[in-house]
Amino acid sequence: MAAVEIRALHKRFGKVEAVKDLSFDVEAGRVTGFLGPNGAGKSTTLRALLGLVRPTSGTATFGGQRYDELEHPSSQVGAVLEDASFHPGRTGRNHLRVLAAAGEHPVSRVDEVLDAVGLNDAADRRVKGYSMGMRQRLAIAAALLGDPGVLVLDEPTNGLDPPGISWMRGILREQAAQGRAVLVSSHLLAEVAQSVDDVVIIAKGELRGRGTLAEVLGGDDGPATEVRSRDPEKLAHALESRGLRVERDGDVLLVPGATPEQVGEIAAEEQVAVLGLAPRMRSLEAAFFALTEETT
Amino acid sequence: MSALLRAELLKLRTTRTFIALTAAALGLSLLLITLIALLQDDWVEQDVRELFTGDFTGLFILLLGVTGMAGEWRHRTITSTVLAAPNRLRLLAAKTIAYAVAGAVISLLVTLAIMAVGTTILSVRDLPTLGIADLTDGLWRNLVVSAFLGAFGVCIGGLVRSQIAAIVGLLLLTFAIEPTLLAVAPHIGQFGPTSGAPNGVLELEAFGDDTDILSPAVALLVLLGWLGLVFAGAATLLQRRDLV
Ligand SMILES: Nc1ncnc2c1ncn2[C@@H]1O[C@H](COP(=O)(O)OP(=O)(O)OP(=O)(O)O)[C@@H](O)[C@H]1O
Ligand SMILES: [Mg+2]
């Protein structure tokens, strides 16, 4: 049983069909990127999952249980929604104390999560004086309060600066490494490409692809990797001798059909120093555009 | 349920609204009571009784309830609140009870303060005062009406959602609609939620005419009826609503 199960989910707002017959799973111990352009239906799907929006038909559950059927929702699921709002006149710490009271979590958790997100110094200031990044940290702290097994985040990097984005990625990886299921939405592929294991891609409310990043966005010839090395000739030779095709572009080799992990390991075996190694982002973006383009 | 109630009471205590409204209610009521007790010369016991029940605290409590609920939309905290308490019926119930408690607490503070100050001034002036039994009787009546108004405000906030619209509507009801009805059609006005029925519980005689005032027991039932009505309406809306 998957941590999150979306089954034939359909949501109509008046005439707008925000989500159409959407199904996918989110597994524990992995970060799942939920990707799609603006207006694709990401927020609607996540809000349906969290019991905030009623599905027109279909279900969105945590291992079969609707959010509002969960025994202790905040101990099972942590959520960070788009532009998280707090009462401006309440301090960050008091906001967490209220949530701890509602979720029956020990007050000591408040200090622990404030620590975890690095908000200790600002905890006793009113939220109206918080920066965007501090609000986002407070939202994460609130989600972590009940030590839940599932995290649902809607565009959590919106409005964050590069260090903030990198901090957020670290949190997501860390949570998944501890065995939690992490579902994170974004309209920017590049922002999540480095931190997700799986992707679910939607556009116009419909599923356009799901699987691992390489499976979904590798294009027809699978994943491709760009590698820069100190000895490109030797590396190219080694790759070709293992049956891989290599395109040369100066120092940079492009290896269609191989993942960065494969290329890295071959380089290590051959003891060639690797200076740069990355999935071919341009093809990722291109595949993403192709998938989310208006086809229907 | 008790966890949600604790959370709502904690919410109340952690913003300035509650303190500010309590201070305003206390200050205004004390000022009023002092002036009347000092300046008015003809006193009978019923005047003293009315002095201790007919103050403005109720209006502040009503506003506290409205901002407590409508404020969830105004500050867009309703999603976080519903995430913490996905059973929206229980959430509304907890909030309603919390503001009934808050109303009673404010009323307790204000009533004890004005009774102490009023009684002191009147006895210094050698005017009639109330015995402890009459004071206690007035106190519980105030508490009942105040608890109702706090709860009623929450449900109105849940029905109307727009804080400004809810406040303007309630001010109109309190200062224009109900007084007009009480004056021109008291047989209808006596059932009103902000003056008519509360007057019945408090045994206040509208315009010195005691023909059109509900008995306390009936008035109490009318208040409960109002509360049931607005609670059911607010609960239905809250449960249907998509929070986007
Ligand atoms: N309350 C609503 N009433 C009417 N239409 C709505 C409502 N909420 C969302 N929609 C519509 O549903 C569609 C999906 O919106 P949604 O917010 O889920 O997209 P999204 O993928 O989260 O987009 P973004 O990346 O911009 O956040 C859009 O066409 C939007 O206009
Ligand atoms: Mg969105």
Side-chain angles (χ1 to χ4, degrees):
Chain A
M1 194 179 289
V4 171
E5 299 178 354
I6 310 287
R7 293 286 178 274
L9 185 69
H10 201 104
K11 178 63 188 181
R12 194 168 38 232
F13 292 108
K15 285 191 182 132
V16 182
E17 298 216 64
V19 177
K20 299 173 209 163
D21 194 29
L22 184 64
S23 299
F24 66 87
D25 284 352
V26 176
E27 303 292 341
R30 299 176 74 82
V31 179
T32 301
F34 187 33
L35 302 173
N38 288 134
K42 304 180 296 292
S43 299
T44 305
T45 303
L46 298 184
R47 284 178 180 262
L49 178 62
L50 295 166
L52 299 169
V53 157
R54 283 163 174 260
T56 307
S57 64
T59 57
T61 62
F62 297 91
Q65 274 190 304
R66 283 202 324 262
Y67 185 80
D68 62 356
E69 293 169 341
L70 298 175
E71 192 85 36
H72 289 290
S74 57
S75 301
Q76 290 165 269
V77 180
V80 175
L81 290 170
E82 254 174 331
D83 55 72
S85 294
F86 307 96
H87 191 293
R90 193 172 285 129
T91 66
R93 186 190 305 281
N94 280 337
H95 177 77
L96 296 174
R97 282 175 62 212
V98 168
L99 292 178
E104 298 181 86
H105 310 302
V107 210
S108 58
R109 278 298 290 163
V110 171
D111 287 317
E112 285 170 31
V113 294
L114 280 170
D115 243 354
V117 302
L119 211 53
N120 269 326
D121 294 342
D124 295 313
R125 277 162 46 193
R126 288 171 199 278
V127 172
K128 76 178 141 204
Y130 278 20
S131 71
M132 187 77 152
M134 290 158 81
R135 277 166 210 255
Q136 209 60 292
R137 280 169 197 263
L138 182 56
I140 295 274
L144 297 179
L145 198 60
D147 196 16
V150 183
L151 283 177
V152 177
L153 309 99
D154 196 5
E155 312 239 7
T157 49
N158 265 0
L160 292 186
D161 57 6
I165 292 174
S166 136
W167 171 80
M168 182 70 74
R169 281 189 191 131
I171 291 260
L172 300 186
R173 293 288 352 149
E174 185 186 303
Q175 295 295 318
Q178 291 169 7
R180 296 186 178 85
V182 180
L183 174 60
V184 54
S185 83
S186 177
H187 60 275
L188 292 173
L189 173 65
E191 213 164 78
V192 296
Q194 299 163 40
S195 49
V196 300
D197 302 301
D198 300 316
V199 289
V200 172
I201 297 181
I202 64 166
K204 304 205 127 196
E206 292 171 335
L207 186 72
R208 294 289 167 88
R210 63 177 197 221
T212 65
L213 192 63
E215 274 166 18
V216 177
L217 293 177
D220 289 335
D221 41 28
T225 298
E226 274 180 4
V227 58
R228 209 158 60 78
S229 80
R230 193 146 274 158
D231 191 348
E233 276 317 308
K234 185 176 175 193
L235 182 58
H237 190 76
L239 290 164
E240 279 163 347
S241 74
R242 284 168 176 80
L244 291 165
R245 194 158 57 80
V246 178
E247 293 163 20
R248 293 173 174 77
D249 179 12
D251 284 4
V252 179
L253 304 179
L254 178 65
V255 195
T259 62
E261 287 82 359
Q262 288 172 302
V263 175
E265 265 161 26
I266 293 170
E269 284 167 24
E270 298 292 327
Q271 301 200 315
V272 178
V274 169
L275 306 177
L277 184 65
R280 191 174 52 173
M281 289 308 285
R282 221 162 51 81
S283 95
L284 274 184
E285 288 291 355
F288 182 55
F289 281 134
L291 271 177
T292 57
E293 226 170 37
E294 311 206 356
T295 49
T296 46
Chain B
M1 187 68 195
S2 67
L4 292 185
L5 186 57
R6 264 201 309 281
E8 286 299 334
L9 290 171
L10 187 58
K11 268 191 201 172
L12 257 167
R13 286 189 283 128
T14 50
T15 64
R16 284 183 182 153
T17 318
F18 177 64
I19 309 281
L21 283 178
T22 309
L26 193 61
L28 199 64
S29 302
L30 279 177
L31 181 71
L32 221 65
I33 227 77
T34 310
L35 289 179
I36 298 175
L38 282 176
L39 301 178
Q40 186 173 323
D41 287 325
D42 297 325
W43 288 89
V44 291
E45 267 196 17
Q46 176 65 14
D47 294 334
V48 186
R49 214 165 273 133
E50 295 193 2
L51 181 69
F52 293 152
T53 46
D55 62 276
F56 280 109
T57 314
L59 187 64
F60 288 98
I61 293 170
L62 198 54
L63 294 185
L64 182 71
V66 170
T67 45
M69 191 69 202
E72 294 269 7
W73 276 280
R74 174 155 175 253
H75 299 300
R76 324 218 304 121
T77 50
I78 185 72
T79 16
S80 140
T81 301
V82 169
L83 280 178
N87 184 329
R88 301 184 193 181
L89 190 65
R90 282 171 59 186
L91 169 65
L92 184 66
K95 228 184 187 27
T96 304
I97 296 171
Y99 281 79
V101 171
V105 167
I106 296 179
S107 179
L108 182 69
L109 287 174
V110 172
T111 308
L112 288 180
I114 61 178
M115 282 177 168
V117 171
T119 305
T120 311
I121 296 177
L122 292 180
S123 54
V124 167
R125 293 183 66 201
D126 255 343
L127 292 166
T129 54
L130 296 181
I132 202 76
D134 278 334
L135 287 176
T136 313
D137 180 68
L139 177 64
W140 80 254
R141 286 168 200 267
N142 272 358
L143 296 194
V144 167
V145 170
S146 301
F148 163 76
L149 290 173
F152 186 72
V154 166
C155 296
I156 294 293
L159 275 173
V160 182
R161 280 204 301 166
S162 154
Q163 191 164 307
I164 294 295
I167 290 177
V168 170
L170 281 174
L171 289 178
L172 277 178
L173 186 67
T174 311
F175 290 116
I177 301 171
E178 278 205 48
T180 311
L181 271 180
L182 280 172
V184 301
H187 56 289
I188 299 174
Q190 62 184 346
F191 292 103
T194 63
S195 311
N199 286 352
V201 174
L202 299 170
E203 293 194 281
L204 285 182
E205 293 158 21
F207 305 100
D209 176 0
D210 63 354
T211 49
D212 281 308
I213 179 165
L214 299 173
S215 75
V218 175
L220 197 60
L221 286 179
V222 169
L223 289 186
L224 286 177
W226 275 111
L227 194 56
L229 196 69
V230 289
F231 183 88
T236 309
L237 278 185
L238 187 61
Q239 282 184 302
R240 288 226 184 116
R241 207 153 252 158
D242 280 338
L243 299 172
V244 289

